[in-house]
Amino acid sequence: MKSTTKILYIERDDTTFTPHQDIPAAFQGQLIPYARFYYHEDKDGSILDQNIRAGEFSIWVHSIQMRPGVEVRPCAQYQVITLHAYDDIESLRGAINNREQLEKEVSLFNVMASDEPSLPGTQQPMSFHINIEPYALKELSREFPLLSALAAIPISNVTGPLHKAPFLLNPVSRLIRDRILRAKHIGNSAYSFFRRNAADFYGNYTRRLIAPAPIMMNDAKRQQLYEIFRYILEHLDEPLTYKMLQQKFGVEEALLRRPFEQEFHLTIPELVLQEKMAVAFEMLSTRNTPVTIIMERLGFNSLPVFLSTFDKYFKYGALQVMDAQ
């Protein structure tokens, strides 16, 4: 029996958006308010595409429901570099102890404009990826230095992978992705939120490109790192310095540096800043908590320092976030 193939546009420039009220009730809980929607349904199934434009970044979430035997194959209406995250729950359950399989979850591709699919097909129910047009890479790398490694990769006119080594959708990149999927932000501040999170998602990947040869770690050391990681997320009000964490967990400072960065693709100070800013943005957007209380809950002792840190991170003011919602 011949299989049926459907087109999945991973980048498109048409404006045939689907109004919010025309999206079936089954998908309503997945909608990101700031996104533009494309919905298609026929006898073979349905596809909901959500797209968020955030400057140089184009974020896509595809919810796919196809009958058995129908394969969805990607193509783009213009050339993009795409960082695609694959996170199938059933596959993960079978691969929880298989690090090699887990590391095949995220791929970086150059995709040329074409009406014909040129990437492998999928039957998975969800696809998440963030696109960048090649011309924007040089300027982005000036603003976000970690992306310099990406800008240095030769881009051809052939569709295909740009890096042979697979990327692990680690706890940090999963945090960023899930933040995007859950976001309910609207107004001008939403643009800054999505743009910064897209840059962080790419930065976590490109850290892998410049990483030195990996250090061998046993399971006990890795377990310690994950305990420290969880502690950081739950205690953002504390002075999370190397010295403090070293004493708290009774480990050598060396474990908190290169091994931590190897496992999570960012340093402890970078993680602390990233998560403090994420929490600050969420709290500010609710407009229910005074800025001074948010500042204290996140361990800032000075309001000017908090406001300047937030503005530098998101390129958007904290007080503007409160006003934009």
Side-chain angles (χ1 to χ4, degrees), residues 60-94:
W60 287 87
V61 183
H62 308 279
S63 300
I64 304 164
Q65 295 183 356
M66 290 288 151
R67 64 177 175 80
V70 178
E71 183 181 62
V72 175
R73 299 199 64 191
C75 66
Q77 292 185 334
Y78 53 89
Q79 183 185 10
V80 291
I81 307 304
T82 183
L83 185 58
H84 177 265
Y86 167 69
D87 192 11
D88 177 55
I89 299 302
E90 293 304 317
S91 293
L92 289 179
R93 286 173 182 163

mmCIF file of all heavy atoms in Angstrom, residues 60-94:
data_model
loop_
_atom_site.group_PDB
_atom_site.id
_atom_site.type_symbol
_atom_site.label_atom_id
_atom_site.label_comp_id
_atom_site.label_asym_id
_atom_site.label_seq_id
_atom_site.Cartn_x
_atom_site.Cartn_y
_atom_site.Cartn_z
ATOM 1 N N TRP A 60 8.610 28.279 15.361
ATOM 2 C CA TRP A 60 7.488 27.492 14.842
ATOM 3 C C TRP A 60 7.155 26.329 15.773
ATOM 4 O O TRP A 60 8.043 25.640 16.262
ATOM 5 C CB TRP A 60 7.818 26.928 13.460
ATOM 6 C CG TRP A 60 7.819 27.957 12.379
ATOM 7 C CD1 TRP A 60 8.866 28.750 11.991
ATOM 8 C CD2 TRP A 60 6.716 28.314 11.550
ATOM 9 N NE1 TRP A 60 8.476 29.574 10.965
ATOM 10 C CE2 TRP A 60 7.167 29.331 10.661
ATOM 11 C CE3 TRP A 60 5.401 27.867 11.448
ATOM 12 C CZ2 TRP A 60 6.334 29.910 9.705
ATOM 13 C CZ3 TRP A 60 4.570 28.445 10.490
ATOM 14 C CH2 TRP A 60 5.034 29.450 9.641
ATOM 15 N N VAL A 61 5.865 26.147 15.979
ATOM 16 C CA VAL A 61 5.359 24.988 16.716
ATOM 17 C C VAL A 61 4.312 24.330 15.827
ATOM 18 O O VAL A 61 3.331 24.980 15.433
ATOM 19 C CB VAL A 61 4.725 25.381 18.060
ATOM 20 C CG1 VAL A 61 4.292 24.136 18.821
ATOM 21 C CG2 VAL A 61 5.686 26.220 18.890
ATOM 22 N N HIS A 62 4.507 23.066 15.488
ATOM 23 C CA HIS A 62 3.575 22.329 14.637
ATOM 24 C C HIS A 62 2.915 21.218 15.453
ATOM 25 O O HIS A 62 3.610 20.366 16.021
ATOM 26 C CB HIS A 62 4.298 21.702 13.444
ATOM 27 C CG HIS A 62 5.146 22.659 12.660
ATOM 28 N ND1 HIS A 62 4.632 23.513 11.716
ATOM 29 C CD2 HIS A 62 6.484 22.902 12.699
ATOM 30 C CE1 HIS A 62 5.608 24.235 11.196
ATOM 31 N NE2 HIS A 62 6.743 23.879 11.778
ATOM 32 N N SER A 63 1.600 21.228 15.506
ATOM 33 C CA SER A 63 0.841 20.150 16.146
ATOM 34 C C SER A 63 0.218 19.320 15.029
ATOM 35 O O SER A 63 -0.579 19.828 14.231
ATOM 36 C CB SER A 63 -0.247 20.728 17.059
ATOM 37 O OG SER A 63 0.326 21.528 18.069
ATOM 38 N N ILE A 64 0.583 18.048 14.975
ATOM 39 C CA ILE A 64 0.260 17.200 13.825
ATOM 40 C C ILE A 64 -0.583 16.010 14.271
ATOM 41 O O ILE A 64 -0.193 15.262 15.172
ATOM 42 C CB ILE A 64 1.547 16.702 13.150
ATOM 43 C CG1 ILE A 64 2.433 17.896 12.760
ATOM 44 C CG2 ILE A 64 1.230 15.839 11.929
ATOM 45 C CD1 ILE A 64 3.868 17.515 12.436
ATOM 46 N N GLN A 65 -1.736 15.845 13.640
ATOM 47 C CA GLN A 65 -2.603 14.691 13.914
ATOM 48 C C GLN A 65 -2.979 14.059 12.584
ATOM 49 O O GLN A 65 -3.858 14.551 11.878
ATOM 50 C CB GLN A 65 -3.854 15.116 14.689
ATOM 51 C CG GLN A 65 -3.573 15.648 16.082
ATOM 52 C CD GLN A 65 -4.836 15.986 16.856
ATOM 53 O OE1 GLN A 65 -5.947 15.897 16.337
ATOM 54 N NE2 GLN A 65 -4.672 16.384 18.104
ATOM 55 N N MET A 66 -2.290 12.967 12.244
ATOM 56 C CA MET A 66 -2.518 12.295 10.970
ATOM 57 C C MET A 66 -2.973 10.857 11.200
ATOM 58 O O MET A 66 -2.613 10.237 12.200
ATOM 59 C CB MET A 66 -1.233 12.292 10.132
ATOM 60 C CG MET A 66 -0.845 13.665 9.604
ATOM 61 S SD MET A 66 -1.953 14.211 8.275
ATOM 62 C CE MET A 66 -1.882 15.980 8.473
ATOM 63 N N ARG A 67 -3.740 10.363 10.256
ATOM 64 C CA ARG A 67 -4.144 8.968 10.353
ATOM 65 C C ARG A 67 -2.930 8.077 10.116
ATOM 66 O O ARG A 67 -1.933 8.520 9.510
ATOM 67 C CB ARG A 67 -5.254 8.657 9.349
ATOM 68 C CG ARG A 67 -4.855 8.798 7.894
ATOM 69 C CD ARG A 67 -5.987 8.398 6.970
ATOM 70 N NE ARG A 67 -5.666 8.633 5.570
ATOM 71 C CZ ARG A 67 -4.913 7.817 4.815
ATOM 72 N NH1 ARG A 67 -4.409 6.705 5.351
ATOM 73 N NH2 ARG A 67 -4.660 8.105 3.563
ATOM 74 N N PRO A 68 -2.948 6.824 10.586
ATOM 75 C CA PRO A 68 -1.801 5.919 10.399
ATOM 76 C C PRO A 68 -1.414 5.793 8.922
ATOM 77 O O PRO A 68 -2.279 5.705 8.048
ATOM 78 C CB PRO A 68 -2.319 4.593 10.965
ATOM 79 C CG PRO A 68 -3.360 4.989 11.955
ATOM 80 C CD PRO A 68 -4.021 6.210 11.371
ATOM 81 N N GLY A 69 -0.121 5.815 8.672
ATOM 82 C CA GLY A 69 0.377 5.666 7.315
ATOM 83 C C GLY A 69 0.628 6.963 6.583
ATOM 84 O O GLY A 69 1.217 6.974 5.500
ATOM 85 N N VAL A 70 0.188 8.079 7.163
ATOM 86 C CA VAL A 70 0.411 9.377 6.528
ATOM 87 C C VAL A 70 1.697 9.983 7.074
ATOM 88 O O VAL A 70 1.860 10.140 8.283
ATOM 89 C CB VAL A 70 -0.771 10.338 6.782
ATOM 90 C CG1 VAL A 70 -0.481 11.703 6.155
ATOM 91 C CG2 VAL A 70 -2.053 9.757 6.208
ATOM 92 N N GLU A 71 2.603 10.302 6.173
ATOM 93 C CA GLU A 71 3.894 10.878 6.562
ATOM 94 C C GLU A 71 3.908 12.366 6.241
ATOM 95 O O GLU A 71 3.438 12.791 5.188
ATOM 96 C CB GLU A 71 5.015 10.184 5.802
ATOM 97 C CG GLU A 71 6.416 10.657 6.197
ATOM 98 C CD GLU A 71 7.493 9.957 5.393
ATOM 99 O OE1 GLU A 71 7.505 10.116 4.157
ATOM 100 O OE2 GLU A 71 8.319 9.258 5.997
ATOM 101 N N VAL A 72 4.433 13.150 7.174
ATOM 102 C CA VAL A 72 4.558 14.591 6.988
ATOM 103 C C VAL A 72 6.009 14.908 6.634
ATOM 104 O O VAL A 72 6.926 14.517 7.357
ATOM 105 C CB VAL A 72 4.130 15.350 8.261
ATOM 106 C CG1 VAL A 72 4.382 16.840 8.105
ATOM 107 C CG2 VAL A 72 2.656 15.102 8.558
ATOM 108 N N ARG A 73 6.215 15.634 5.529
ATOM 109 C CA ARG A 73 7.574 15.950 5.086
ATOM 110 C C ARG A 73 7.763 17.458 4.985
ATOM 111 O O ARG A 73 6.954 18.169 4.386
ATOM 112 C CB ARG A 73 7.860 15.287 3.739
ATOM 113 C CG ARG A 73 7.765 13.762 3.791
ATOM 114 C CD ARG A 73 8.474 13.127 2.627
ATOM 115 N NE ARG A 73 9.898 13.396 2.674
ATOM 116 C CZ ARG A 73 10.732 13.131 1.673
ATOM 117 N NH1 ARG A 73 10.275 12.603 0.546
ATOM 118 N NH2 ARG A 73 12.014 13.402 1.774
ATOM 119 N N PRO A 74 8.855 17.965 5.575
ATOM 120 C CA PRO A 74 9.075 19.420 5.656
ATOM 121 C C PRO A 74 9.609 20.034 4.365
ATOM 122 O O PRO A 74 10.360 19.411 3.617
ATOM 123 C CB PRO A 74 10.119 19.553 6.771
ATOM 124 C CG PRO A 74 10.188 18.203 7.426
ATOM 125 C CD PRO A 74 9.811 17.216 6.385
ATOM 126 N N CYS A 75 9.221 21.288 4.146
ATOM 127 C CA CYS A 75 9.854 22.122 3.126
ATOM 128 C C CYS A 75 9.668 23.577 3.531
ATOM 129 O O CYS A 75 8.900 23.889 4.446
ATOM 130 C CB CYS A 75 9.292 21.851 1.735
ATOM 131 S SG CYS A 75 7.585 22.311 1.507
ATOM 132 N N ALA A 76 10.389 24.482 2.874
ATOM 133 C CA ALA A 76 10.363 25.901 3.229
ATOM 134 C C ALA A 76 10.131 26.739 1.987
ATOM 135 O O ALA A 76 10.538 26.362 0.881
ATOM 136 C CB ALA A 76 11.672 26.304 3.902
ATOM 137 N N GLN A 77 9.486 27.896 2.179
ATOM 138 C CA GLN A 77 9.239 28.792 1.050
ATOM 139 C C GLN A 77 10.408 29.732 0.785
ATOM 140 O O GLN A 77 10.434 30.412 -0.223
ATOM 141 C CB GLN A 77 7.949 29.582 1.288
ATOM 142 C CG GLN A 77 6.704 28.698 1.245
ATOM 143 C CD GLN A 77 5.410 29.480 1.367
ATOM 144 O OE1 GLN A 77 5.374 30.561 1.940
ATOM 145 N NE2 GLN A 77 4.332 28.928 0.818
ATOM 146 N N TYR A 78 11.351 29.801 1.731
ATOM 147 C CA TYR A 78 12.602 30.502 1.466
ATOM 148 C C TYR A 78 13.687 29.921 2.372
ATOM 149 O O TYR A 78 13.393 29.214 3.338
ATOM 150 C CB TYR A 78 12.487 32.015 1.648
ATOM 151 C CG TYR A 78 11.935 32.472 2.974
ATOM 152 C CD1 TYR A 78 12.767 32.694 4.067
ATOM 153 C CD2 TYR A 78 10.571 32.722 3.130
ATOM 154 C CE1 TYR A 78 12.264 33.140 5.289
ATOM 155 C CE2 TYR A 78 10.056 33.167 4.346
ATOM 156 C CZ TYR A 78 10.899 33.371 5.412
ATOM 157 O OH TYR A 78 10.403 33.796 6.611
ATOM 158 N N GLN A 79 14.960 30.178 2.034
ATOM 159 C CA GLN A 79 16.074 29.527 2.724
ATOM 160 C C GLN A 79 16.154 29.955 4.188
ATOM 161 O O GLN A 79 16.078 31.132 4.521
ATOM 162 C CB GLN A 79 17.397 29.861 2.045
ATOM 163 C CG GLN A 79 18.593 29.142 2.679
ATOM 164 C CD GLN A 79 19.927 29.565 2.092
ATOM 165 O OE1 GLN A 79 19.986 30.536 1.326
ATOM 166 N NE2 GLN A 79 20.995 28.861 2.428
ATOM 167 N N VAL A 80 16.338 28.962 5.065
ATOM 168 C CA VAL A 80 16.521 29.231 6.486
ATOM 169 C C VAL A 80 17.514 28.246 7.084
ATOM 170 O O VAL A 80 17.718 27.141 6.581
ATOM 171 C CB VAL A 80 15.195 29.122 7.282
ATOM 172 C CG1 VAL A 80 14.252 30.258 6.927
ATOM 173 C CG2 VAL A 80 14.533 27.758 7.084
ATOM 174 N N ILE A 81 18.146 28.672 8.174
ATOM 175 C CA ILE A 81 18.862 27.778 9.069
ATOM 176 C C ILE A 81 17.861 27.415 10.159
ATOM 177 O O ILE A 81 17.264 28.302 10.774
ATOM 178 C CB ILE A 81 20.084 28.472 9.703
ATOM 179 C CG1 ILE A 81 20.971 29.093 8.618
ATOM 180 C CG2 ILE A 81 20.864 27.491 10.567
ATOM 181 C CD1 ILE A 81 21.423 28.115 7.566
ATOM 182 N N THR A 82 17.649 26.140 10.383
ATOM 183 C CA THR A 82 16.636 25.731 11.349
ATOM 184 C C THR A 82 17.225 24.817 12.414
ATOM 185 O O THR A 82 17.942 23.862 12.100
ATOM 186 C CB THR A 82 15.438 25.050 10.653
ATOM 187 O OG1 THR A 82 14.435 24.723 11.624
ATOM 188 C CG2 THR A 82 15.855 23.783 9.917
ATOM 189 N N LEU A 83 16.934 25.139 13.655
ATOM 190 C CA LEU A 83 17.332 24.310 14.792
ATOM 191 C C LEU A 83 16.069 23.612 15.270
ATOM 192 O O LEU A 83 15.169 24.237 15.833
ATOM 193 C CB LEU A 83 17.942 25.170 15.895
ATOM 194 C CG LEU A 83 18.517 24.434 17.111
ATOM 195 C CD1 LEU A 83 19.599 23.442 16.686
ATOM 196 C CD2 LEU A 83 19.079 25.419 18.122
ATOM 197 N N HIS A 84 15.996 22.327 15.004
ATOM 198 C CA HIS A 84 14.772 21.558 15.198
ATOM 199 C C HIS A 84 14.882 20.650 16.416
ATOM 200 O O HIS A 84 15.838 19.889 16.554
ATOM 201 C CB HIS A 84 14.489 20.708 13.955
ATOM 202 C CG HIS A 84 13.295 19.829 14.090
ATOM 203 N ND1 HIS A 84 13.391 18.519 14.497
ATOM 204 C CD2 HIS A 84 11.982 20.076 13.901
ATOM 205 C CE1 HIS A 84 12.176 17.986 14.539
ATOM 206 N NE2 HIS A 84 11.306 18.914 14.186
ATOM 207 N N ALA A 85 13.902 20.753 17.308
ATOM 208 C CA ALA A 85 13.892 19.933 18.529
ATOM 209 C C ALA A 85 12.893 18.806 18.393
ATOM 210 O O ALA A 85 11.731 19.028 18.051
ATOM 211 C CB ALA A 85 13.538 20.798 19.735
ATOM 212 N N TYR A 86 13.361 17.613 18.663
ATOM 213 C CA TYR A 86 12.514 16.426 18.619
ATOM 214 C C TYR A 86 12.445 15.854 20.021
ATOM 215 O O TYR A 86 13.462 15.562 20.639
ATOM 216 C CB TYR A 86 13.097 15.391 17.654
ATOM 217 C CG TYR A 86 12.474 14.025 17.772
ATOM 218 C CD1 TYR A 86 11.162 13.816 17.364
ATOM 219 C CD2 TYR A 86 13.188 12.954 18.296
ATOM 220 C CE1 TYR A 86 10.582 12.567 17.480
ATOM 221 C CE2 TYR A 86 12.619 11.706 18.409
ATOM 222 C CZ TYR A 86 11.313 11.505 18.008
ATOM 223 O OH TYR A 86 10.745 10.280 18.129
ATOM 224 N N ASP A 87 11.246 15.698 20.537
ATOM 225 C CA ASP A 87 11.099 15.248 21.920
ATOM 226 C C ASP A 87 9.873 14.360 22.029
ATOM 227 O O ASP A 87 8.829 14.760 22.527
ATOM 228 C CB ASP A 87 10.970 16.456 22.854
ATOM 229 C CG ASP A 87 11.106 16.066 24.326
ATOM 230 O OD1 ASP A 87 11.505 14.933 24.600
ATOM 231 O OD2 ASP A 87 10.810 16.911 25.181
ATOM 232 N N ASP A 88 9.972 13.146 21.527
ATOM 233 C CA ASP A 88 8.859 12.205 21.567
ATOM 234 C C ASP A 88 8.879 11.451 22.888
ATOM 235 O O ASP A 88 9.829 10.754 23.212
ATOM 236 C CB ASP A 88 8.965 11.219 20.406
ATOM 237 C CG ASP A 88 7.862 10.175 20.433
ATOM 238 O OD1 ASP A 88 6.690 10.561 20.471
ATOM 239 O OD2 ASP A 88 8.199 8.979 20.443
ATOM 240 N N ILE A 89 7.812 11.557 23.667
ATOM 241 C CA ILE A 89 7.779 10.983 25.013
ATOM 242 C C ILE A 89 7.982 9.478 24.998
ATOM 243 O O ILE A 89 8.733 8.915 25.795
ATOM 244 C CB ILE A 89 6.455 11.338 25.708
ATOM 245 C CG1 ILE A 89 6.318 12.858 25.829
ATOM 246 C CG2 ILE A 89 6.381 10.692 27.072
ATOM 247 C CD1 ILE A 89 7.437 13.525 26.588
ATOM 248 N N GLU A 90 7.320 8.785 24.078
ATOM 249 C CA GLU A 90 7.441 7.331 24.058
ATOM 250 C C GLU A 90 8.865 6.901 23.740
ATOM 251 O O GLU A 90 9.395 5.959 24.321
ATOM 252 C CB GLU A 90 6.454 6.736 23.037
ATOM 253 C CG GLU A 90 4.996 6.919 23.425
ATOM 254 C CD GLU A 90 4.681 6.344 24.805
ATOM 255 O OE1 GLU A 90 5.157 5.240 25.111
ATOM 256 O OE2 GLU A 90 3.961 6.995 25.566
ATOM 257 N N SER A 91 9.510 7.616 22.810
ATOM 258 C CA SER A 91 10.899 7.285 22.480
ATOM 259 C C SER A 91 11.811 7.535 23.664
ATOM 260 O O SER A 91 12.733 6.774 23.934
ATOM 261 C CB SER A 91 11.363 8.114 21.273
ATOM 262 O OG SER A 91 10.657 7.740 20.121
ATOM 263 N N LEU A 92 11.544 8.612 24.400
ATOM 264 C CA LEU A 92 12.384 8.938 25.542
ATOM 265 C C LEU A 92 12.282 7.865 26.615
ATOM 266 O O LEU A 92 13.254 7.520 27.259
ATOM 267 C CB LEU A 92 11.985 10.292 26.120
ATOM 268 C CG LEU A 92 12.338 11.512 25.265
ATOM 269 C CD1 LEU A 92 11.855 12.772 25.956
ATOM 270 C CD2 LEU A 92 13.824 11.578 25.023
ATOM 271 N N ARG A 93 11.080 7.333 26.820
ATOM 272 C CA ARG A 93 10.910 6.296 27.839
ATOM 273 C C ARG A 93 11.755 5.071 27.522
ATOM 274 O O ARG A 93 12.308 4.429 28.396
ATOM 275 C CB ARG A 93 9.430 5.906 27.924
ATOM 276 C CG ARG A 93 8.575 6.964 28.622
ATOM 277 C CD ARG A 93 7.111 6.624 28.523
ATOM 278 N NE ARG A 93 6.291 7.658 29.162
ATOM 279 C CZ ARG A 93 4.990 7.810 28.963
ATOM 280 N NH1 ARG A 93 4.358 7.002 28.142
ATOM 281 N NH2 ARG A 93 4.329 8.769 29.588
ATOM 282 N N GLY A 94 11.873 4.764 26.234
ATOM 283 C CA GLY A 94 12.666 3.605 25.856
ATOM 284 C C GLY A 94 14.141 3.900 25.778
ATOM 285 O O GLY A 94 14.952 2.989 25.648
#
